[in-house]
Amino acid sequence: VNATATGVASLLAQSVNLDATSQGSTVTSGLLSSAGTALPVSFLDQGSIAAIANQRSFSQAVSVAGSSSSDLYNRTVGMANAYLNIAGVAMISSDAFSQQECLAQSVAGNVNA
């Protein structure tokens, strides 16, 4: 079983006279059951599982006369809510990578990133 999820988010808010706000939220999962019941994974003899989640997010807010605010939330999970039933030898690998960058700029107002 190979499960890979890759996400990229790029946000930009710009204003000359007013405030600029850029906000984002992402969820990236390699192997996940979002239902109440765990995802069943079974091997009768042997097997391998590789679950990888990778999320990169960038948020930028720019204002000339107003305030600017930039905010990000990433939830990145390699493997979760899975029931593994393996009768023999197994190789299991799970990785989660998350990268975030927030930038806020203003000439005359407040900034928050």
Side-chain angles (χ1 to χ4, degrees):
V1 176
N2 289 321
T4 303
T6 301
V8 177
S10 184
L11 308 172
L12 173 62
Q14 296 176 313
S15 177
V16 174
N17 295 318
L18 302 174
D19 295 343
T21 302
S22 177
Q23 296 177 324
S25 177
T26 62
V27 177
T28 308
S29 304
L31 182 62
L32 169 76
S33 171
S34 59
T37 306
L39 176 69
V41 178
S42 296
F43 297 111
L44 295 177
D45 186 17
Q46 64 183 20
S48 65
I49 298 172
I52 301 170
N54 184 18
Q55 178 65 43
R56 291 183 312 141
S57 299
F58 176 74
S59 176
Q60 182 177 8
V62 180
S63 179
V64 176
S67 297
S68 57
S69 175
S70 178
D71 185 38
L72 283 173
Y73 170 79
N74 282 359
R75 179 175 173 241
T76 308
V77 178
M79 184 182 336
N81 199 21
Y83 173 77
L84 307 177
N85 183 11
I86 303 168
V89 177
M91 293 179 55
I92 300 172
S93 174
S94 178
D95 293 305
F97 304 98
S98 179
Q99 179 183 9
Q100 299 182 95
E101 184 176 352
C102 292
L103 178 63
Q105 298 173 314
S106 178
V107 175
N110 295 324
V111 296
N112 182 31

